[in-house]
Amino acid sequence: MISRHNRREACTRISEVSGFTQQYISDLERGRRNPTVVTLFELVDLVLPDEEFCKEQTKTPKQK
């Protein structure tokens, strides 16, 4: 289980990088807000690794 302190730190980092307020991020996590599709895509881009980067990292030496 993730501690409340760790969740707060994660919320702070996401807020700093995304430009959304900590309260907005917290409300999203708790289901108190309904984000737009654009907002969802922006947040996904922040938290998921770049697909092309992942593909490069998983290639064997012969594939590179």
Side-chain angles (χ1 to χ4, degrees):
M1 182 177 226
I2 299 173
S3 73
R4 187 168 41 179
H5 177 74
N6 287 343
R7 285 193 310 254
R8 190 175 311 135
E9 283 185 7
C11 183
T12 301
R13 285 191 300 258
I14 291 171
S15 174
E16 290 171 353
V17 174
S18 70
F20 295 110
T21 65
Q22 287 183 7
Q23 185 62 52
Y24 183 73
I25 300 297
S26 178
D27 287 347
L28 287 175
E29 291 176 332
R30 290 180 167 84
R32 295 178 183 164
R33 294 276 199 150
N34 295 315
T36 65
V37 172
V38 173
T39 299
L40 288 174
F41 275 105
E42 290 174 0
L43 292 172
V44 167
D45 281 343
L46 290 174
V47 297
L48 291 180
D50 181 49
E51 184 179 335
E52 289 301 317
F53 175 78
C54 289
K55 286 179 183 177
E56 270 302 307
Q57 298 305 308
T58 57
K59 287 183 180 178
T60 62
K62 290 181 181 179
Q63 290 175 321
K64 289 183 180 182

